[in-house]
Amino acid sequence: MNPLPHVVILGAGYGGLVTAIRLQKMLNDQEADVTLVNKHDYHYLTAHLHKPAAGTDRDDNACISISELIDDAKVHFVKSTVLEIQPEQKKVVLEDRVLSYDYLVIGLGSEPETFGIPGVREYAFKIRSINSVRLIRTHIEYMFAKYKLEPHRTDYLTFVIGGSGLTGTEFVGELADRLPDLCKKYRVDSSLVNIYNVEMAPQALPMGLPSDLVDYGMDVLRRKGITYQLSTAIKECTPEGVVLGSGEFIKAATVIWTGGVRGNHLLEEAGFETVKGRVKVDEYLRDPRHPDVFIVGDCSMVQSPEGTPYPPSAQLAVRQGANVARNLAAILRNQPLKPFQFDYKGTVASLGKHEAVGVVNGKKVKGRVAAWIKRIIDARYLLIIGGVRLFLKKIT
Ligand SMILES: Cc1cc2nc3c(=O)[nH]c(=O)nc-3n(C[C@H](O)[C@H](O)[C@H](O)COP(=O)(O)OP(=O)(O)OC[C@H]3O[C@@H](n4cnc5c(N)ncnc54)[C@H](O)[C@@H]3O)c2cc1C
């Protein structure tokens, strides 16, 4: 008997996990062997990481054990790190074995884009995984404890966040909410604490928001104590702080870089043609040169009908995962493929507790209403991946 076609999915983030979950629902065990590979045995909600990073939420709230989501009778889970992708040999090298595939789905997410700014790679924290946000949260609290022993070092209480797109904005909102608790706990005068959000563009908040919503969001965050440095580049990051384009030096013991992302380096290394580490996929989300390789989420680049690429987002990754699963099932059943169409619903950026701003289905939303919509969006994702049981577990 011929072996069943082997589908290998790399990465259990939003894109890879949704592909796996949909395949386990759609396929019967005579149609394919499906393997999901991920560095950790849990799925993390990347879009939530700003909260545990600031310490306003527990990190386990942003984690879900993969065994809770995957039926091991249908999808074989391998906890391992991908070291190399070999599309010509149809192989993937993991740290402990080599896998051969008939169809590959790459959903390995993104890496910080540092634009070659000296010191950012070495000295700035990045919000990118559960382990990285645990480090940030611990470091922030450590700075308060250290300041109590060296009260002349106000740079321990100075926080610089590079970039004020979605990640930077959501993080400064949470950090501003967290600091009053830390000031109280360590008996630190809150006027000594400074949060600088440095942004090269002339305005903060995610690109594409209408200017009245940008003004609203920036007003909210300024009232919470954020100091914006707009139209300002970070020229260098050092162990002592950051040098700005103007030459000004901000002495700060904590620098967090959120200034951009690029696709996982493994794609470039595998010889895929990339722009910012992302592969311009065809209408079925495949690499144009390798029709057996599908690419989802932050590793892929999808053009909007206007001809500009959609910004990487969890929303896009989830829709791509569903489309890839559907098309893999279609290939295995000799049915026609369905082109990917993205019905972009909009973006909502949280500004800390009870405050958010954004556009949903073309309508502007702000304040508490926007914060509730954001919670509904998050809840919807939990329902997609884990049904009512996961939803109830996470919200209660
Ligand atoms: C703080 C923050 C807030 C955000 N807020 C929003 C939001 O409100 N709305 C929105 O739509 N988007 C938001 N985003 C963007 C969104 O999180 C990403 O676009 C989304 O996570 C991309 O999904 P993905 O499947 O491509 O990758 P990810 O979800 O990042 O998953 C990649 C997976 O691959 C695994 N992996 C990586 N390398 C390896 C390897 N070598 N071997 C094995 N496994 C590996 C990782 O462990 C991870 O499980 C936010 C991002 C951040 C950082």
Side-chain angles (χ1 to χ4, degrees), residues 10-17 37-40 42-50 80-83 107-110 127-128 166-168 170-171 264-266 296-299 312-317 347-349 374 378:
L10 305 181
Y14 290 84
L17 183 72
V37 181
N38 196 57
K39 214 184 254 190
H40 312 285
Y42 54 83
H43 165 67
Y44 56 78
L45 305 166
T46 314
H48 276 243
L49 291 179
H50 52 290
S80 189
T81 298
V82 182
L83 301 181
L108 292 170
S110 59
I127 301 175
R128 54 174 308 208
L166 188 59
T167 305
E170 294 197 322
F171 178 70
N264 193 300
H265 68 280
L266 291 173
V296 293
D298 290 2
C299 291
S313 68
Q315 183 187 164
L316 177 60
T347 302
V348 182
K374 179 104 182 156
D378 294 345

Side-chain angles (χ1 to χ4, degrees), residues 59 164 212:
D59 50 53
S164 70
D212 55 328

Side-chain angles (χ1 to χ4, degrees), residues 194-220:
N194 286 300
I195 309 175
Y196 294 98
N197 195 183
V198 183
E199 168 59 50
M200 211 159 91
Q203 66 172 43
L205 278 84
M207 270 193 337
L209 278 190
S211 57
D212 55 328
L213 291 187
V214 170
D215 291 345
Y216 172 84
M218 287 176 65
D219 270 357
V220 168

